[in-house]
Amino acid sequence: MHYTGTIWRPPYEADSLLLEVTAGCTHHRCKFCTLYSDLPFKFRMSPMEDIESDLLEVQVLRHNPTSMMTAKLQSLPRPKPIKRVFLTGANPFVLTTGKLLEIAALIRKYLPSVETIGCFARITDSVNKTDKDLILLRQAGYNGLTIGVETGDDTALSFMQKGYTSQDILTQCKRLEQAKIEYGFFYLTSISGKGKGETGAKASADVFNQLHPFLIGPNMLTIYPESKLYQEIQNGNWEEESEIEKYRELRTLVENLNVSTYFAAMGASNAFQLRGRLPEDKEQLLETLDRIISEVREEDLRHYRKNLPHL
């Protein structure tokens, strides 16, 4: 299999086949992001022959009689049919509709059991796609996109150079909904900065409540020395929330969300794993957050964050 640099995926894509079709990010300007800094280029699409080669490799490993006999002799379970493929890279959905359809056709050719295709996506990836394009992509199996919207706070979006506004989130996600393409959100706790987290959470809830994400997944903003945001902090232009303040922000977000969705803080940046359905589990989530805020020491949370692996 062809893989370039560190491969990132959402926690809930653990059972998906990871297929590299792009590497890097077309935007690559967010002040906090260092996820693709290990690459010597900004963004590139994989050659179609590499994509086809990887799919053939998976097909052979799954269905080759020799492989199946070896597995049987070793008392290994027969591999389950692959139902979902997750395309790797920061935003493969930016590829042209023609390329995405070509990739979907190759997936079906070699792995006919696949039902859906997911990937990371930026809000701006669908701007140059027509409504008809989005419908064609849904028909080809594209569904369950993961979008790192981070926040609905326009001031924070602008400062962090996300490249879109809260209105863009509403416009493009409603277009995805019209095409019946489901999507989930990553929310970045503390992106609004010290003293502004709860305001940012309310602005985000106002945006999210107008949409239908299948998931809202908060992660804690982690600041690394090589990021542009670190330099902004050194220059006195931005200050991070305290650890307890971050949980007050999360509480405000949960309290103000009225949309039916799955709320899941599952990533390694979260000291506490929080999950539940909204609105059914809202009170339970709020009670858990209240306990964290009132009972957990700031220094303990800070120690956990300090010892996170360098991603």
Side-chain angles (χ1 to χ4, degrees), residues 9-294:
R9 62 153 178 83
Y12 44 82
E13 296 285 2
D15 293 331
S16 303
L17 170 67
L18 303 182
L19 179 67
E20 181 171 300
V21 300
T22 64
C25 175
T26 56
H27 187 64
H28 203 59
R29 289 194 292 275
C30 300
K31 289 184 180 180
F32 56 83
C33 185
T34 61
L35 292 184
Y36 300 96
S37 58
D38 59 337
L39 300 178
F41 51 82
K42 179 179 175 181
F43 176 86
R44 77 179 184 197
M45 178 185 168
S46 301
M48 291 301 293
E49 54 265 31
D50 286 356
I51 297 172
E52 185 164 15
S53 171
D54 287 347
L55 288 167
L56 177 59
E57 180 180 341
V58 174
Q59 183 194 59
V60 169
L61 288 173
R62 288 273 172 162
H63 304 293
N64 182 281
T66 302
S67 299
M68 294 173 68
M69 181 59 70
T70 301
K72 186 174 182 179
L73 291 171
Q74 294 176 347
S75 299
L76 297 175
R78 185 168 182 171
K80 296 179 180 179
I82 295 173
K83 300 291 187 181
R84 182 166 172 82
V85 172
F86 185 81
L87 309 182
T88 68
N91 59 323
F93 204 64
V94 75
L95 297 177
T96 65
T97 299
K99 282 296 181 185
L100 290 171
L101 291 176
E102 188 177 356
I103 290 168
L106 279 177
I107 291 172
R108 288 301 192 297
K109 175 182 177 181
Y110 290 98
L111 303 172
S113 61
V114 169
E115 297 173 354
T116 58
I117 304 167
C119 64
F120 285 124
R122 276 180 51 80
I123 285 297
T124 54
D125 287 352
S126 55
V127 170
N128 292 326
K129 293 178 174 63
T130 66
D131 292 344
K132 183 178 179 181
D133 287 338
L134 294 176
I135 292 172
L136 288 172
L137 291 169
R138 178 64 186 91
Q139 291 172 344
Y142 287 92
N143 199 28
L145 306 181
T146 296
I147 306 173
V149 292
E150 324 302 8
T151 183
D153 177 357
D154 279 316
T155 301
L157 288 170
S158 176
F159 179 80
M160 294 295 178
Q161 297 181 340
K162 284 299 296 182
Y164 54 79
T165 67
S166 60
Q167 183 57 53
D168 294 326
I169 297 173
L170 290 169
T171 299
Q172 297 307 320
C173 288
K174 286 179 178 179
R175 293 184 64 224
L176 292 176
E177 291 180 10
Q178 289 172 358
K180 301 189 184 309
I181 296 177
E182 298 175 345
Y183 57 86
F185 286 156
F186 276 178
Y187 174 85
L188 200 52
T189 311
S190 187
I191 193 173
S192 295
K194 186 174 182 178
K196 303 173 184 176
E198 292 187 69
T199 299
K202 289 177 182 177
S204 298
D206 286 344
V207 173
F208 299 165
N209 286 338
Q210 299 177 62
L211 299 169
H212 302 87
F214 67 79
L215 170 138
I216 296 174
N219 293 291
M220 294 291 179
L221 174 62
T222 304
I223 301 164
Y224 295 111
E226 60 269 31
S227 68
K228 295 177 184 177
L229 184 57
Y230 181 83
Q231 192 58 52
E232 293 282 13
I233 294 171
Q234 301 308 301
N235 293 337
N237 298 328
W238 192 87
E239 191 172 355
E240 186 180 12
E241 291 179 331
S242 70
E243 298 302 319
I244 294 298
E245 191 178 358
K246 292 174 185 176
Y247 281 94
R248 290 197 185 100
E249 176 184 339
L250 271 186
R251 190 195 189 286
T252 299
L253 178 66
V254 172
E255 184 178 31
N256 285 275
L257 283 172
N258 298 317
V259 65
S260 177
T261 190
Y262 190 67
F263 184 90
M266 300 182 292
S269 65
N270 298 289
F272 296 91
Q273 302 289 296
L274 303 167
R275 63 186 71 191
R277 283 223 55 93
L278 294 176
E280 296 91 331
D281 300 323
K282 177 182 281 195
E283 291 306 315
Q284 182 180 345
L285 285 167
L286 290 175
E287 288 173 7
T288 300
L289 286 162
D290 283 337
R291 285 199 301 273
I292 294 170
I293 292 166
S294 63

